[in-house]
Amino acid sequence: MTRELIIDIASAKRSAETAEIMRRYNDVFQRHDPSALTELVAEGCVIENTTPAPDGARRAGKAACVELWSAIATAPGTHFDLEETFVAGDRATIRWRFWMSDGNSLRGINLMRVADGQIVEAMGYVKG
């Protein structure tokens, strides 16, 4: 019996594009340099932030999203440990640990969606 191997080239290409956007997005926080955000974030981007509990604040629009992420990326004495970035098509899950300036940390994930080469949606969740 012959087995058929089906490779979805469109899905593989979309995953590769999403992975590259997530790499550049993660670099913003690793390098504490938000300059790439204006290129990475779509006009209609929506963020559901991790705070305040339980639902998180909603930010809509490019300017609001860039402002929030820029503040996080440049917060003095903080950094992110990237634990994993998983990409499937136009979606990505980023698992991370955020270290605050007081030495405490929290763990969380971002659920991301990309369309037309830019981030259009981000939902953040934390443990605890």
Side-chain angles (χ1 to χ4, degrees), residues 30-101:
Q30 297 301 295
R31 295 183 176 150
H32 304 281
D33 178 6
S35 61
L37 288 173
T38 55
E39 184 180 319
L40 293 172
V41 177
E43 288 298 330
C45 184
V46 174
I47 295 173
E48 289 184 7
N49 198 7
T50 59
T51 61
D55 296 324
R58 181 180 168 90
R59 303 279 180 117
K62 181 175 190 157
C65 295
V66 168
E67 178 184 33
L68 174 64
W69 282 330
S70 293
I72 294 168
T74 59
T78 66
H79 70 275
F80 279 91
D81 289 339
L82 291 172
E83 296 179 343
E84 178 181 61
T85 301
F86 176 82
V87 173
D90 64 350
R91 298 191 180 265
T93 301
I94 305 168
R95 191 166 43 95
W96 46 261
R97 180 180 295 259
F98 179 67
W99 293 91
M100 295 169 270
S101 59

Side-chain angles (χ1 to χ4, degrees), residues 3-53:
R3 292 187 158 233
E4 183 177 8
L5 176 62
I6 299 173
I7 299 173
D8 184 346
I9 299 297
S11 180
K13 183 177 185 227
R14 197 166 48 250
S15 290
E17 290 168 351
T18 300
E20 175 60 17
I21 291 163
M22 290 301 103
R23 184 195 61 74
R24 292 175 57 212
Y25 171 81
N26 287 334
D27 281 352
V28 164
F29 301 95
Q30 297 301 295
R31 295 183 176 150
H32 304 281
D33 178 6
S35 61
L37 288 173
T38 55
E39 184 180 319
L40 293 172
V41 177
E43 288 298 330
C45 184
V46 174
I47 295 173
E48 289 184 7
N49 198 7
T50 59
T51 61

